[in-house]
Protein backbone atom coordinates (compact mmCIF):
# COMPACT_ATOMS: atom_id res chain seq x y z
CA UNK A 1 0.00 0.00 0.00
CA UNK A 2 3.01 2.30 0.32
CA UNK A 3 2.02 5.88 1.10
CA UNK A 4 -1.60 4.86 1.80
CA UNK A 5 -0.45 2.60 4.61
CA UNK A 6 1.82 5.26 6.09
CA UNK A 7 -0.83 7.98 6.01
CA UNK A 8 -3.52 5.82 7.64
CA UNK A 9 -1.14 5.29 10.54
CA UNK A 10 -0.44 9.03 10.84
CA UNK A 11 -4.04 10.16 10.45
CA UNK A 12 -4.56 11.12 14.08
CA UNK A 13 -1.52 13.33 14.34
CA UNK A 14 -2.11 15.33 11.16
CA UNK A 15 -5.59 15.29 9.64
CA UNK A 16 -7.66 14.51 12.73
CA UNK A 17 -6.29 17.58 14.52
CA UNK A 18 -8.04 19.81 11.97
CA UNK A 19 -11.37 18.11 12.66
CA UNK A 20 -11.29 17.44 16.39
CA UNK A 21 -10.18 20.94 17.41
CA UNK A 22 -13.79 22.07 16.92
CA UNK A 23 -14.89 19.99 19.92
CA UNK A 24 -12.76 22.14 22.20
CA UNK A 25 -13.55 25.50 20.63
CA UNK A 26 -15.78 28.00 22.45
CA UNK A 27 -17.22 28.94 19.05
CA UNK A 28 -18.83 25.51 18.81
CA UNK A 29 -20.77 25.76 22.04
CA UNK A 30 -21.71 29.38 21.26
CA UNK A 31 -23.11 28.54 17.82
CA UNK A 32 -24.98 25.42 18.93
CA UNK A 33 -26.49 27.02 22.02
CA UNK A 34 -27.50 29.91 19.79
CA UNK A 35 -29.35 27.32 17.73
CA UNK A 36 -31.25 26.21 20.82
CA UNK A 37 -29.18 23.48 22.47
CA UNK A 38 -28.13 23.50 26.10
CA UNK A 39 -24.46 24.16 26.86
CA UNK A 40 -22.16 21.30 27.72
CA UNK A 41 -22.16 17.75 26.40
CA UNK A 42 -25.41 18.17 24.48
CA UNK A 43 -23.63 20.30 21.90
CA UNK A 44 -21.11 17.52 21.25
CA UNK A 45 -23.58 14.65 21.02
CA UNK A 46 -26.12 16.52 18.92
CA UNK A 47 -23.54 18.29 16.76
CA UNK A 48 -21.78 15.11 15.73
CA UNK A 49 -24.92 12.95 15.49
CA UNK A 50 -27.14 15.45 13.63
CA UNK A 51 -26.08 14.22 10.15
CA UNK A 52 -27.75 10.88 11.02
CA UNK A 53 -31.05 12.66 11.77
CA UNK A 54 -33.06 12.68 15.01
CA UNK A 55 -31.78 9.29 16.16
CA UNK A 56 -32.23 7.89 19.65
CA UNK A 57 -29.61 7.57 22.40
CA UNK A 58 -28.89 3.96 21.52
CA UNK A 59 -27.76 4.85 18.01
CA UNK A 60 -25.54 7.66 19.29
CA UNK A 61 -23.95 5.43 21.95
CA UNK A 62 -23.42 2.66 19.40
CA UNK A 63 -21.78 4.86 16.78
CA UNK A 64 -19.73 6.99 19.20
CA UNK A 65 -18.85 3.75 21.05
CA UNK A 66 -16.71 4.68 24.06
CA UNK A 67 -19.19 6.96 25.85
CA UNK A 68 -21.25 5.81 28.80
CA UNK A 69 -24.76 5.29 27.34
CA UNK A 70 -26.21 6.85 30.50
CA UNK A 71 -24.42 10.10 29.67
CA UNK A 72 -25.72 10.06 26.11
CA UNK A 73 -29.29 9.47 27.29
CA UNK A 74 -29.18 12.64 29.39
CA UNK A 75 -28.95 14.71 26.20
CA UNK A 76 -30.40 12.61 23.38
CA UNK A 77 -33.24 12.69 22.25
CA UNK A 78 -33.98 15.90 24.19
CA UNK A 79 -31.62 17.82 21.91
CA UNK A 80 -33.92 17.25 18.93
CA UNK A 81 -36.78 18.96 20.77
CA UNK A 82 -34.65 22.08 21.12
CA UNK A 83 -33.17 22.32 17.62
CA UNK A 84 -33.66 20.37 14.42
CA UNK A 85 -30.77 18.32 13.00
CA UNK A 86 -30.69 20.62 9.95
CA UNK A 87 -30.32 23.72 12.12
CA UNK A 88 -27.63 22.04 14.21
CA UNK A 89 -25.66 21.11 11.09
CA UNK A 90 -25.89 24.69 9.85
CA UNK A 91 -24.68 26.02 13.21
CA UNK A 92 -21.85 23.50 13.29
CA UNK A 93 -20.44 24.79 10.01
CA UNK A 94 -20.76 28.35 11.30
CA UNK A 95 -18.71 27.31 14.33
CA UNK A 96 -16.08 25.62 12.17
CA UNK A 97 -15.71 28.76 10.08
CA UNK A 98 -15.25 30.94 13.16
CA UNK A 99 -12.88 28.50 14.86
CA UNK A 100 -10.58 28.02 11.88
CA UNK A 101 -10.52 31.78 11.26
CA UNK A 102 -9.42 32.40 14.84
CA UNK A 103 -6.78 29.65 14.94
CA UNK A 104 -5.33 29.90 11.43
CA UNK A 105 -6.16 33.43 10.32
CA UNK A 106 -7.96 34.65 7.23
CA UNK A 107 -4.79 34.92 5.15
CA UNK A 108 -4.04 31.24 5.70
CA UNK A 109 -7.62 30.18 4.99
CA UNK A 110 -7.61 32.19 1.74
CA UNK A 111 -4.28 30.73 0.64
CA UNK A 112 -3.63 28.57 -2.40
CA UNK A 113 -2.33 25.85 -0.08
CA UNK A 114 -5.68 25.51 1.70
CA UNK A 115 -7.50 25.53 -1.62
CA UNK A 116 -5.21 22.77 -2.92
CA UNK A 117 -5.59 20.76 0.28
CA UNK A 118 -9.38 21.05 0.06
CA UNK A 119 -9.40 19.74 -3.50
CA UNK A 120 -7.15 16.80 -2.64
CA UNK A 121 -9.03 15.88 0.54
CA UNK A 122 -12.35 15.98 -1.29
CA UNK A 123 -10.90 13.78 -4.01
CA UNK A 124 -9.72 11.30 -1.37
CA UNK A 125 -13.27 10.90 -0.05
CA UNK A 126 -14.16 9.35 -3.39
CA UNK A 127 -12.46 6.20 -2.12
CA UNK A 128 -14.60 5.92 1.04
CA UNK A 129 -16.86 2.91 1.38
CA UNK A 130 -20.33 3.49 2.84
CA UNK A 131 -21.20 -0.16 3.58
CA UNK A 132 -21.36 -0.83 7.33
CA UNK A 133 -20.35 2.74 8.24
CA UNK A 134 -23.42 4.52 9.68
CA UNK A 135 -21.77 7.61 11.12
CA UNK A 136 -19.77 8.19 7.95
CA UNK A 137 -22.89 7.61 5.84
CA UNK A 138 -24.83 10.32 7.65
CA UNK A 139 -22.06 12.85 7.08
CA UNK A 140 -21.60 11.74 3.47
CA UNK A 141 -25.23 12.65 2.73
CA UNK A 142 -24.62 16.30 3.59
CA UNK A 143 -24.19 18.92 0.89
CA UNK A 144 -20.64 20.12 0.36
CA UNK A 145 -19.87 23.67 1.54
CA UNK A 146 -18.42 26.14 -0.96
CA UNK A 147 -15.54 27.80 0.92
CA UNK A 148 -12.23 25.89 0.56
CA UNK A 149 -11.47 25.76 4.30
CA UNK A 150 -14.93 24.35 5.01
CA UNK A 151 -14.53 21.86 2.15
CA UNK A 152 -11.25 20.78 3.74
CA UNK A 153 -12.85 20.40 7.16
CA UNK A 154 -15.82 18.47 5.81
CA UNK A 155 -13.59 16.17 3.77
CA UNK A 156 -11.39 15.43 6.78
CA UNK A 157 -14.54 14.83 8.82
CA UNK A 158 -15.70 12.27 6.26
CA UNK A 159 -12.30 10.58 6.31
CA UNK A 160 -12.31 10.60 10.12
CA UNK A 161 -15.79 9.11 10.53
CA UNK A 162 -15.04 6.57 7.80
CA UNK A 163 -11.95 5.53 9.73
CA UNK A 164 -13.85 5.58 13.02
CA UNK A 165 -16.57 3.23 11.80
CA UNK A 166 -13.86 0.83 10.62
CA UNK A 167 -12.13 1.15 13.98
CA UNK A 168 -15.29 0.11 15.82
CA UNK A 169 -15.50 -2.99 13.64
CA UNK A 170 -11.90 -3.83 14.55
CA UNK A 171 -12.64 -3.36 18.25
CA UNK A 172 -15.67 -5.63 18.07
CA UNK A 173 -13.79 -8.37 16.27
CA UNK A 174 -11.12 -8.21 18.96
CA UNK A 175 -13.61 -8.37 21.82
CA UNK A 176 -13.38 -4.84 23.25
CA UNK A 177 -16.52 -2.97 24.22
CA UNK A 178 -16.57 0.81 24.42
CA UNK A 179 -15.12 1.13 27.92
CA UNK A 180 -12.49 -1.55 27.29
CA UNK A 181 -11.49 0.25 24.11
CA UNK A 182 -11.15 3.58 25.90
CA UNK A 183 -9.23 2.09 28.80
CA UNK A 184 -6.74 0.17 26.67
CA UNK A 185 -6.19 3.11 24.35
CA UNK A 186 -5.51 5.34 27.34
CA UNK A 187 -2.98 2.74 28.52
CA UNK A 188 -1.03 3.14 25.26
CA UNK A 189 -0.13 6.71 26.29
CA UNK A 190 -1.33 8.02 22.91
CA UNK A 191 -4.79 9.28 23.79
CA UNK A 192 -6.61 10.87 26.67
CA UNK A 193 -5.14 11.02 30.13
CA UNK A 194 -7.13 8.66 32.35
CA UNK A 195 -8.85 11.42 34.35
CA UNK A 196 -9.87 13.25 31.17
CA UNK A 197 -11.08 10.01 29.57
CA UNK A 198 -13.33 9.17 32.49
CA UNK A 199 -14.71 12.69 32.78
CA UNK A 200 -15.34 13.33 29.09
CA UNK A 201 -16.82 9.90 28.40
CA UNK A 202 -18.96 9.80 31.53
CA UNK A 203 -17.52 6.74 33.31
CA UNK A 204 -17.37 6.60 37.10
CA UNK A 205 -14.28 5.49 39.00
CA UNK A 206 -16.13 2.30 39.94
CA UNK A 207 -16.99 1.50 36.32
CA UNK A 208 -13.46 2.28 35.19
CA UNK A 209 -11.85 0.21 37.94
CA UNK A 210 -14.23 -2.69 37.33
CA UNK A 211 -13.35 -2.80 33.64
CA UNK A 212 -9.64 -2.54 34.46
CA UNK A 213 -9.92 -5.49 36.85
CA UNK A 214 -11.49 -7.64 34.13
CA UNK A 215 -8.78 -6.65 31.67
CA UNK A 216 -6.13 -7.62 34.22
CA UNK A 217 -7.80 -11.01 34.61
CA UNK A 218 -7.63 -11.44 30.84
CA UNK A 219 -3.93 -10.55 30.83
CA UNK A 220 -4.44 -7.36 28.83
CA UNK A 221 -3.39 -4.97 31.62
CA UNK A 222 -0.69 -5.40 34.24
CA UNK A 223 -0.97 -4.59 37.95
CA UNK A 224 0.02 -0.93 37.36
CA UNK A 225 -2.60 -0.43 34.65
CA UNK A 226 -0.18 -0.61 31.74
CA UNK A 227 -0.53 -2.87 28.75
CA UNK A 228 1.00 -6.33 29.01
CA UNK A 229 2.73 -7.89 26.03
CA UNK A 230 -0.60 -9.47 25.12
CA UNK A 231 -2.29 -6.09 25.55
CA UNK A 232 0.20 -4.40 23.24
CA UNK A 233 -0.30 -7.14 20.68
CA UNK A 234 -4.07 -6.63 20.92
CA UNK A 235 -3.84 -2.89 20.34
CA UNK A 236 -1.42 -3.43 17.44
CA UNK A 237 -3.87 -5.85 15.80
CA UNK A 238 -6.67 -3.34 16.22
CA UNK A 239 -4.62 -0.51 14.70
CA UNK A 240 -3.51 -2.71 11.82
CA UNK A 241 -7.11 -3.71 11.10
CA UNK A 242 -8.24 -0.08 11.36
CA UNK A 243 -5.52 1.05 8.97
CA UNK A 244 -6.41 -1.68 6.49
CA UNK A 245 -10.09 -0.72 6.63
CA UNK A 246 -9.18 2.96 6.14
CA UNK A 247 -6.76 2.68 3.24
CA UNK A 248 -9.36 3.02 0.47
CA UNK A 249 -9.38 6.85 0.26
CA UNK A 250 -5.59 7.02 0.06
CA UNK A 251 -5.33 4.28 -2.53
CA UNK A 252 -7.99 6.17 -4.50
CA UNK A 253 -6.05 9.44 -4.21
CA UNK A 254 -2.77 7.83 -5.17
CA UNK A 255 0.69 7.99 -3.63
CA UNK A 256 1.83 11.35 -5.01
CA UNK A 257 -1.35 13.25 -4.13
CA UNK A 258 -1.61 11.57 -0.74
CA UNK A 259 1.91 12.66 0.11
CA UNK A 260 1.14 16.19 -1.06
CA UNK A 261 -2.02 16.39 1.07
CA UNK A 262 -0.07 15.28 4.12
CA UNK A 263 2.55 17.96 3.40
CA UNK A 264 -0.16 20.61 3.15
CA UNK A 265 -2.11 19.63 6.28
CA UNK A 266 0.87 19.10 8.58
CA UNK A 267 1.71 22.83 8.92
CA UNK A 268 -1.98 23.70 9.34
CA UNK A 269 -2.32 21.21 12.19
CA UNK A 270 0.82 22.48 13.89
CA UNK A 271 -0.31 26.08 13.55
CA UNK A 272 -3.67 25.23 15.11
CA UNK A 273 -2.06 23.41 18.03
CA UNK A 274 0.39 26.26 18.62
CA UNK A 275 -2.53 28.69 18.61
CA UNK A 276 -4.06 26.82 21.55
CA UNK A 277 -6.58 24.56 19.83
CA UNK A 278 -6.48 21.97 22.63
CA UNK A 279 -6.58 22.49 26.40
CA UNK A 280 -3.83 21.26 28.71
CA UNK A 281 -4.16 18.16 30.89
CA UNK A 282 -6.42 16.33 28.45
CA UNK A 283 -4.15 14.37 26.12
CA UNK A 284 -0.99 12.48 26.92
CA UNK A 285 2.25 13.76 25.45
CA UNK A 286 2.32 10.70 23.19
CA UNK A 287 -0.78 11.86 21.32
Amino acid sequence: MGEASRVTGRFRGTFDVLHSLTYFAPETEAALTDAGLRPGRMTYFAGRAAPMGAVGPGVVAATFYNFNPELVARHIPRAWTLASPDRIIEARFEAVDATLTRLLGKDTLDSKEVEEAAELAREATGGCQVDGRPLYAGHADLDWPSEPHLVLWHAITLLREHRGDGHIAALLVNGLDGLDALLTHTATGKGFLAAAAKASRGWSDEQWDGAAAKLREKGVLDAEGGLTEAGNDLRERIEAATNAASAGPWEHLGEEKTKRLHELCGPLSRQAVEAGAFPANVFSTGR
Side-chain angles (χ1 to χ4, degrees):
M1 284 190 290
E3 190 64 24
S5 178
R6 288 189 290 275
V7 167
T8 55
R10 297 195 301 254
F11 187 90
R12 185 177 180 86
T14 300
F15 301 113
D16 190 43
V17 167
L18 295 173
H19 166 87
S20 60
L21 57 82
T22 59
Y23 299 130
F24 301 89
E27 292 89 347
T28 299
E29 182 161 300
L32 293 181
T33 53
D34 229 31
L37 298 181
R38 297 294 179 263
R41 304 320 305 278
M42 183 183 284
T43 60
Y44 172 79
F45 291 128
R48 190 177 172 208
M52 296 188 292
V55 296
V59 173
V60 175
T63 52
F64 288 20
Y65 204 65
N66 61 22
F67 287 84
N68 187 336
E70 296 173 1
L71 175 61
V72 176
R74 291 176 203 156
H75 305 288
I76 303 292
R78 184 172 179 240
W80 315 130
T81 70
L82 302 174
S84 70
D86 285 347
R87 176 66 187 102
I88 293 168
I89 291 166
E90 179 184 17
R92 195 184 191 207
F93 276 110
E94 292 169 0
V96 171
D97 183 33
T99 301
L100 292 179
T101 299
R102 172 174 60 86
L103 293 172
L104 300 179
K106 197 170 185 312
D107 287 346
T108 295
L109 298 186
D110 290 341
S111 67
K112 292 295 184 182
E113 287 78 10
V114 166
E115 183 178 359
E116 181 184 359
E119 292 173 356
L120 291 172
R122 182 170 182 170
E123 184 178 345
T125 65
C128 291
Q129 179 185 14
V130 72
D131 304 41
R133 301 178 197 257
L135 192 50
Y136 161 76
H139 285 77
D141 280 343
L142 301 181
D143 292 333
W144 282 89
S146 56
E147 298 87 345
H149 63 286
L150 295 183
V151 170
L152 177 60
W153 183 85
H154 183 53
I156 289 174
T157 299
L158 292 177
L159 296 167
R160 180 190 197 262
E161 302 298 14
H162 180 269
R163 178 179 175 83
D165 286 337
H167 183 57
I168 289 174
L171 292 167
L172 287 168
V173 167
N174 283 279
L176 295 185
D177 64 19
L179 180 51
D180 291 341
L182 180 62
L183 208 154
T184 55
H185 187 253
T186 300
T188 67
K190 297 178 181 178
F192 283 111
L193 296 171
K198 283 187 281 188
S200 68
R201 268 50 183 166
W203 299 105
S204 67
D205 289 340
E206 291 76 18
Q207 290 168 319
W208 185 273
D209 293 343
K214 291 179 181 178
L215 290 169
R216 284 196 297 271
E217 290 173 6
K218 293 179 179 179
V220 175
L221 294 181
D222 59 28
E224 287 74 40
L227 291 172
T228 62
E229 183 177 348
N232 276 310
D233 288 344
L234 173 63
R235 290 301 317 190
E236 287 177 6
R237 288 198 305 273
I238 289 167
E239 290 307 309
T242 301
N243 290 342
S246 307
W250 312 115
E251 293 175 339
H252 174 78
L253 188 60
E255 184 169 340
E256 184 177 337
K257 290 182 178 179
T258 294
K259 184 177 180 181
R260 177 59 178 161
L261 179 59
H262 190 271
E263 291 172 348
L264 290 166
C265 288
L268 297 175
S269 297
R270 289 191 292 274
Q271 183 178 342
V273 170
E274 290 168 1
F278 299 98
N281 302 319
V282 172
F283 297 108
S284 69
T285 54
R287 183 181 188 275

